Amino acid sequence: MRNALTFDIEEYFHVEAFAGAFRPEEWPGLTSRVVDATERLLDILDYADAHATCHGYAHQMIHRQTRLEFAKDVQRAKTAIEDAAGTAVVGFRAPTFSITRKTLWSLEVLWEAGFLYDSSIFPILHDRYGIPDAPRFPHRVPVMNEHGIAEFPLSTILVMGRRLPVAGGGYLRLMPYPMTRRAIHHLNKFEKQPAIVYLHPWEIDAHQPKVRVGLMTRMRHKIKTGSTEVKLHRLLKDFRFGPARDVLENAGVLNAGEAH
Ligand SMILES: [Zn+2]
């Protein structure tokens, strides 16, 4: 079974955890590290397939935006990527997984903007994001009385009735690799479902500048960035991966060649 591999392309200073340390107005003055790290990711993947996923332009959590602001931001990001990459952008990942119960209206905005799928709903209980009782696997969310948009929730496994995030970001960095491998294997073999792995370029950038934030925040952000690249290599060796769109098609949640 193929799993989905996704990257949220952003600078280390864009992350919500550093919102107190860097204001968006300061971003243009900071030294960019995203290109180097992304090139390393592309080398690892030897990435030929160009199905892009869009991550917003200003990288602001959705609940801080009005519907109109959000619509403008995603359209700006979509157009920028489409112009640069020459390929249609059909998928969306919200900054800090900020599609929650309160911001479900954003799925309508995405659908109106021509997106075919979203992968922003974390079906867990978390202080900053998540819809704890959302479906765990790819499904369709009806919007505006239409067939709707496909949703690829972030991967979890059930441990004693609780949902544990397993396949991306800090969870992937913190968890010993054999546990991640077992979790994805379990999803594929026993639950017969694809996993979705996500990473950010800064998660393989062990030499990013030190940021003046609390120790906990700094730890959460930087922990094990030195070994994440090795984990990605091992994942690519142990599992088959493809773009989220293809995996959703295989799962029967998107139709081949679908557009609206
Ligand atoms: Zn992000």
Side-chain angles (χ1 to χ4, degrees), residues 16-34:
E16 186 55 28
F18 292 165
F22 303 113
R23 280 173 292 122
E25 307 86 85
E26 296 172 78
W27 292 352
L30 297 169
T31 305
S32 169
R33 297 185 65 84
V34 72

PDB file of all heavy atoms in Angstrom, residues 16-34:
ATOM      1  N   GLU A  16       4.424  28.622  14.627  1.00  0.00           N
ATOM      2  CA  GLU A  16       3.565  29.246  15.614  1.00  0.00           C
ATOM      3  C   GLU A  16       4.266  29.352  16.976  1.00  0.00           C
ATOM      4  O   GLU A  16       4.094  30.324  17.708  1.00  0.00           O
ATOM      5  CB  GLU A  16       2.276  28.413  15.725  1.00  0.00           C
ATOM      6  CG  GLU A  16       1.197  28.986  16.595  1.00  0.00           C
ATOM      7  CD  GLU A  16       0.770  30.394  16.221  1.00  0.00           C
ATOM      8  OE1 GLU A  16       0.876  30.764  15.041  1.00  0.00           O
ATOM      9  OE2 GLU A  16       0.344  31.125  17.140  1.00  0.00           O
ATOM     10  N   ALA A  17       5.099  28.366  17.295  1.00  0.00           N
ATOM     11  CA  ALA A  17       5.789  28.361  18.592  1.00  0.00           C
ATOM     12  C   ALA A  17       6.732  29.563  18.744  1.00  0.00           C
ATOM     13  O   ALA A  17       7.040  29.968  19.855  1.00  0.00           O
ATOM     14  CB  ALA A  17       6.574  27.063  18.749  1.00  0.00           C
ATOM     15  N   PHE A  18       7.158  30.149  17.623  1.00  0.00           N
ATOM     16  CA  PHE A  18       8.055  31.297  17.683  1.00  0.00           C
ATOM     17  C   PHE A  18       7.325  32.620  17.432  1.00  0.00           C
ATOM     18  O   PHE A  18       7.957  33.648  17.212  1.00  0.00           O
ATOM     19  CB  PHE A  18       9.185  31.159  16.654  1.00  0.00           C
ATOM     20  CG  PHE A  18      10.161  30.050  16.955  1.00  0.00           C
ATOM     21  CD1 PHE A  18      11.039  29.608  15.986  1.00  0.00           C
ATOM     22  CD2 PHE A  18      10.199  29.453  18.211  1.00  0.00           C
ATOM     23  CE1 PHE A  18      11.947  28.587  16.256  1.00  0.00           C
ATOM     24  CE2 PHE A  18      11.098  28.424  18.492  1.00  0.00           C
ATOM     25  CZ  PHE A  18      11.969  27.987  17.511  1.00  0.00           C
ATOM     26  N   ALA A  19       5.996  32.560  17.456  1.00  0.00           N
ATOM     27  CA  ALA A  19       5.221  33.779  17.163  1.00  0.00           C
ATOM     28  C   ALA A  19       5.599  34.916  18.114  1.00  0.00           C
ATOM     29  O   ALA A  19       5.567  36.091  17.737  1.00  0.00           O
ATOM     30  CB  ALA A  19       3.728  33.489  17.224  1.00  0.00           C
ATOM     31  N   GLY A  20       5.984  34.580  19.347  1.00  0.00           N
ATOM     32  CA  GLY A  20       6.364  35.611  20.309  1.00  0.00           C
ATOM     33  C   GLY A  20       7.762  36.167  20.053  1.00  0.00           C
ATOM     34  O   GLY A  20       8.101  37.254  20.526  1.00  0.00           O
ATOM     35  N   ALA A  21       8.579  35.437  19.324  1.00  0.00           N
ATOM     36  CA  ALA A  21       9.969  35.847  19.099  1.00  0.00           C
ATOM     37  C   ALA A  21      10.145  36.628  17.799  1.00  0.00           C
ATOM     38  O   ALA A  21      10.984  37.518  17.708  1.00  0.00           O
ATOM     39  CB  ALA A  21      10.880  34.626  19.100  1.00  0.00           C
ATOM     40  N   PHE A  22       9.358  36.290  16.795  1.00  0.00           N
ATOM     41  CA  PHE A  22       9.484  36.971  15.490  1.00  0.00           C
ATOM     42  C   PHE A  22       8.121  37.427  15.010  1.00  0.00           C
ATOM     43  O   PHE A  22       7.229  36.597  14.834  1.00  0.00           O
ATOM     44  CB  PHE A  22      10.032  36.012  14.415  1.00  0.00           C
ATOM     45  CG  PHE A  22      11.350  35.394  14.755  1.00  0.00           C
ATOM     46  CD1 PHE A  22      11.438  34.036  14.990  1.00  0.00           C
ATOM     47  CD2 PHE A  22      12.501  36.168  14.815  1.00  0.00           C
ATOM     48  CE1 PHE A  22      12.658  33.440  15.282  1.00  0.00           C
ATOM     49  CE2 PHE A  22      13.725  35.576  15.108  1.00  0.00           C
ATOM     50  CZ  PHE A  22      13.800  34.218  15.352  1.00  0.00           C
ATOM     51  N   ARG A  23       7.965  38.701  14.773  1.00  0.00           N
ATOM     52  CA  ARG A  23       6.709  39.184  14.182  1.00  0.00           C
ATOM     53  C   ARG A  23       6.792  39.039  12.666  1.00  0.00           C
ATOM     54  O   ARG A  23       7.893  39.154  12.107  1.00  0.00           O
ATOM     55  CB  ARG A  23       6.480  40.653  14.570  1.00  0.00           C
ATOM     56  CG  ARG A  23       5.908  40.803  15.989  1.00  0.00           C
ATOM     57  CD  ARG A  23       5.846  42.241  16.415  1.00  0.00           C
ATOM     58  NE  ARG A  23       7.177  42.810  16.595  1.00  0.00           N
ATOM     59  CZ  ARG A  23       7.647  43.874  15.957  1.00  0.00           C
ATOM     60  NH1 ARG A  23       6.878  44.523  15.106  1.00  0.00           N
ATOM     61  NH2 ARG A  23       8.861  44.307  16.172  1.00  0.00           N
ATOM     62  N   PRO A  24       5.638  38.817  11.992  1.00  0.00           N
ATOM     63  CA  PRO A  24       5.677  38.653  10.528  1.00  0.00           C
ATOM     64  C   PRO A  24       6.393  39.812   9.819  1.00  0.00           C
ATOM     65  O   PRO A  24       7.066  39.593   8.817  1.00  0.00           O
ATOM     66  CB  PRO A  24       4.200  38.601  10.141  1.00  0.00           C
ATOM     67  CG  PRO A  24       3.520  38.051  11.346  1.00  0.00           C
ATOM     68  CD  PRO A  24       4.290  38.583  12.530  1.00  0.00           C
ATOM     69  N   GLU A  25       6.311  41.036  10.377  1.00  0.00           N
ATOM     70  CA  GLU A  25       6.983  42.175   9.739  1.00  0.00           C
ATOM     71  C   GLU A  25       8.497  41.994   9.752  1.00  0.00           C
ATOM     72  O   GLU A  25       9.220  42.601   8.956  1.00  0.00           O
ATOM     73  CB  GLU A  25       6.663  43.500  10.466  1.00  0.00           C
ATOM     74  CG  GLU A  25       5.206  43.808  10.663  1.00  0.00           C
ATOM     75  CD  GLU A  25       4.655  43.158  11.922  1.00  0.00           C
ATOM     76  OE1 GLU A  25       4.778  43.714  13.010  1.00  0.00           O
ATOM     77  OE2 GLU A  25       4.083  42.050  11.773  1.00  0.00           O
ATOM     78  N   GLU A  26       9.005  41.178  10.697  1.00  0.00           N
ATOM     79  CA  GLU A  26      10.457  40.988  10.794  1.00  0.00           C
ATOM     80  C   GLU A  26      10.965  39.900   9.867  1.00  0.00           C
ATOM     81  O   GLU A  26      12.164  39.794   9.623  1.00  0.00           O
ATOM     82  CB  GLU A  26      10.835  40.599  12.234  1.00  0.00           C
ATOM     83  CG  GLU A  26      10.543  41.668  13.268  1.00  0.00           C
ATOM     84  CD  GLU A  26      10.776  41.119  14.677  1.00  0.00           C
ATOM     85  OE1 GLU A  26      11.939  41.019  15.093  1.00  0.00           O
ATOM     86  OE2 GLU A  26       9.794  40.771  15.346  1.00  0.00           O
ATOM     87  N   TRP A  27      10.029  39.043   9.368  1.00  0.00           N
ATOM     88  CA  TRP A  27      10.462  37.884   8.580  1.00  0.00           C
ATOM     89  C   TRP A  27      11.372  38.234   7.402  1.00  0.00           C
ATOM     90  O   TRP A  27      12.391  37.565   7.192  1.00  0.00           O
ATOM     91  CB  TRP A  27       9.247  37.095   8.058  1.00  0.00           C
ATOM     92  CG  TRP A  27       8.467  36.397   9.133  1.00  0.00           C
ATOM     93  CD1 TRP A  27       8.808  36.272  10.449  1.00  0.00           C
ATOM     94  CD2 TRP A  27       7.193  35.734   8.986  1.00  0.00           C
ATOM     95  NE1 TRP A  27       7.837  35.571  11.126  1.00  0.00           N
ATOM     96  CE2 TRP A  27       6.841  35.235  10.257  1.00  0.00           C
ATOM     97  CE3 TRP A  27       6.340  35.525   7.913  1.00  0.00           C
ATOM     98  CZ2 TRP A  27       5.661  34.524  10.470  1.00  0.00           C
ATOM     99  CZ3 TRP A  27       5.164  34.816   8.122  1.00  0.00           C
ATOM    100  CH2 TRP A  27       4.826  34.320   9.390  1.00  0.00           C
ATOM    101  N   PRO A  28      11.038  39.320   6.623  1.00  0.00           N
ATOM    102  CA  PRO A  28      11.878  39.586   5.449  1.00  0.00           C
ATOM    103  C   PRO A  28      13.333  39.890   5.809  1.00  0.00           C
ATOM    104  O   PRO A  28      14.232  39.694   4.995  1.00  0.00           O
ATOM    105  CB  PRO A  28      11.211  40.809   4.802  1.00  0.00           C
ATOM    106  CG  PRO A  28       9.805  40.781   5.297  1.00  0.00           C
ATOM    107  CD  PRO A  28       9.876  40.219   6.689  1.00  0.00           C
ATOM    108  N   GLY A  29      13.596  40.353   7.049  1.00  0.00           N
ATOM    109  CA  GLY A  29      14.960  40.703   7.445  1.00  0.00           C
ATOM    110  C   GLY A  29      15.764  39.521   7.977  1.00  0.00           C
ATOM    111  O   GLY A  29      16.955  39.666   8.275  1.00  0.00           O
ATOM    112  N   LEU A  30      15.140  38.370   8.125  1.00  0.00           N
ATOM    113  CA  LEU A  30      15.842  37.221   8.711  1.00  0.00           C
ATOM    114  C   LEU A  30      16.500  36.373   7.618  1.00  0.00           C
ATOM    115  O   LEU A  30      16.026  36.332   6.487  1.00  0.00           O
ATOM    116  CB  LEU A  30      14.844  36.355   9.495  1.00  0.00           C
ATOM    117  CG  LEU A  30      14.189  37.058  10.692  1.00  0.00           C
ATOM    118  CD1 LEU A  30      13.030  36.237  11.227  1.00  0.00           C
ATOM    119  CD2 LEU A  30      15.215  37.296  11.792  1.00  0.00           C
ATOM    120  N   THR A  31      17.589  35.734   7.989  1.00  0.00           N
ATOM    121  CA  THR A  31      18.307  34.914   7.006  1.00  0.00           C
ATOM    122  C   THR A  31      17.510  33.658   6.687  1.00  0.00           C
ATOM    123  O   THR A  31      17.137  32.898   7.584  1.00  0.00           O
ATOM    124  CB  THR A  31      19.692  34.516   7.557  1.00  0.00           C
ATOM    125  OG1 THR A  31      20.356  35.722   7.923  1.00  0.00           O
ATOM    126  CG2 THR A  31      20.517  33.777   6.516  1.00  0.00           C
ATOM    127  N   SER A  32      17.266  33.451   5.407  1.00  0.00           N
ATOM    128  CA  SER A  32      16.480  32.290   4.976  1.00  0.00           C
ATOM    129  C   SER A  32      17.321  31.016   5.074  1.00  0.00           C
ATOM    130  O   SER A  32      18.489  30.988   4.726  1.00  0.00           O
ATOM    131  CB  SER A  32      16.038  32.494   3.529  1.00  0.00           C
ATOM    132  OG  SER A  32      15.506  31.283   3.031  1.00  0.00           O
ATOM    133  N   ARG A  33      16.700  29.956   5.570  1.00  0.00           N
ATOM    134  CA  ARG A  33      17.376  28.655   5.610  1.00  0.00           C
ATOM    135  C   ARG A  33      16.564  27.590   4.885  1.00  0.00           C
ATOM    136  O   ARG A  33      16.944  26.442   4.787  1.00  0.00           O
ATOM    137  CB  ARG A  33      17.589  28.217   7.063  1.00  0.00           C
ATOM    138  CG  ARG A  33      18.493  29.155   7.843  1.00  0.00           C
ATOM    139  CD  ARG A  33      18.784  28.620   9.230  1.00  0.00           C
ATOM    140  NE  ARG A  33      19.542  27.405   9.214  1.00  0.00           N
ATOM    141  CZ  ARG A  33      20.868  27.329   9.129  1.00  0.00           C
ATOM    142  NH1 ARG A  33      21.583  28.428   9.045  1.00  0.00           N
ATOM    143  NH2 ARG A  33      21.490  26.159   9.126  1.00  0.00           N
ATOM    144  N   VAL A  34      15.395  28.003   4.377  1.00  0.00           N
ATOM    145  CA  VAL A  34      14.463  27.009   3.845  1.00  0.00           C
ATOM    146  C   VAL A  34      14.928  26.409   2.516  1.00  0.00           C
ATOM    147  O   VAL A  34      14.677  25.242   2.236  1.00  0.00           O
ATOM    148  CB  VAL A  34      13.031  27.595   3.734  1.00  0.00           C
ATOM    149  CG1 VAL A  34      12.920  28.616   2.608  1.00  0.00           C
ATOM    150  CG2 VAL A  34      12.000  26.508   3.553  1.00  0.00           C
TER     151      VAL A  34
END
